[in-house]
Amino acid sequence: MKIAETERLILSKITVEDAPFILELMNTPGWLKFIGDRNIKTVAEAEDYIKNNQLKCYEKYDFGYYKMCLKSDNLKPIGTAGLLKRDTLEHVDIGFSILPEFHGKGYGFETSSELLDLAKNTFNINTVCAITLPINKVSIGLIEKLGFKYKKTVNPFEEDENLLLFEKQL
């Protein structure tokens, strides 16, 4: 189901049929380094992950993570981006992950800009946050380019590493 369209991309809800793509994305070096190993190693595990995460998020909030597909390449999926309401954060947060061969082409900014518009105008969200590891300089650059301001260091998942939290008023 199409959610939004940008100049080069279609954003659509993730479905169980996207499991092979989600499996590939979740096992890229960038995902494993900056987001973390979710121990998704088979298509069946990816299907379960989608059912227990993306689909439940759509049901509960009407928003979630979306598949980013190239218009110019027969709607080839290249990444995910979305809005997520976590119990451990005050505001909805924005996130993104793109297959390595599509890094550095502006897709993250293009998609995130559209998501911020959706957050404000469709979902009536007034404040969005973004969290990232301090070593993830590419994400920090994109977050700042989108107009987010550093707020504080947080540890929302009670893991070894603290995260930087940025906020943006819409």
Side-chain angles (χ1 to χ4, degrees):
M1 175 181 179
K2 181 173 131 179
I3 297 300
E5 186 172 337
T6 69
E7 182 181 335
R8 302 179 292 167
L9 301 166
I10 299 285
L11 301 179
S12 60
K13 286 188 175 180
I14 296 169
T15 67
V16 174
E17 289 75 31
D18 295 314
F21 165 69
I22 295 299
L23 174 65
E24 176 187 5
L25 182 66
M26 292 180 77
N27 286 286
T28 60
W31 182 292
L32 296 171
K33 180 177 181 179
F34 296 121
I35 299 172
D37 190 348
R38 300 293 187 258
N39 201 29
I40 307 297
K41 305 301 180 201
T42 68
V43 171
E45 290 171 343
E47 289 172 351
D48 288 341
Y49 181 85
I50 292 166
K51 289 175 190 172
N52 294 321
N53 292 280
Q54 277 80 16
L55 300 184
K56 285 186 178 181
C57 195
Y58 300 147
E59 288 174 18
K60 186 171 183 178
Y61 299 108
D62 264 354
F63 56 78
Y65 270 76
Y66 305 109
K67 181 175 57 173
M68 302 163 44
C69 296
L70 286 176
K71 287 182 185 178
S72 65
D73 194 3
N74 209 21
L75 297 181
K76 175 183 178 49
I78 64 164
T80 61
L83 302 165
L84 190 60
K85 179 60 185 117
R86 302 176 197 266
D87 293 337
T88 55
L89 295 174
E90 180 180 357
H91 301 292
V92 169
D93 79 290
I94 191 169
F96 39 83
S97 182
I98 300 172
L99 291 172
E101 59 266 34
F102 299 99
H103 286 187
K105 299 180 186 320
Y107 295 123
F109 182 80
E110 186 175 327
T111 300
S112 297
S113 296
E114 182 66 26
L115 285 171
L116 291 172
D117 185 60
L118 281 171
K120 179 179 181 180
N121 298 314
T122 302
F123 303 118
N124 300 310
I125 298 168
N126 298 316
T127 304
V128 176
C129 71
I131 52 175
T132 190
L133 288 167
I135 62 168
N136 194 342
K137 302 301 183 199
V138 173
S139 283
I140 292 168
L142 174 55
I143 290 164
E144 291 176 337
K145 184 177 178 182
L146 288 163
F148 285 77
K149 302 294 182 211
Y150 172 76
K151 183 87 170 175
K152 61 186 174 182
T153 300
V154 296
N155 195 330
F157 311 118
E158 299 179 9
E159 293 180 354
D160 293 340
E161 294 191 71
N162 289 330
L163 302 174
L164 303 179
L165 181 129
F166 296 79
E167 284 186 5
K168 178 180 175 91
Q169 302 298 314
L170 304 179

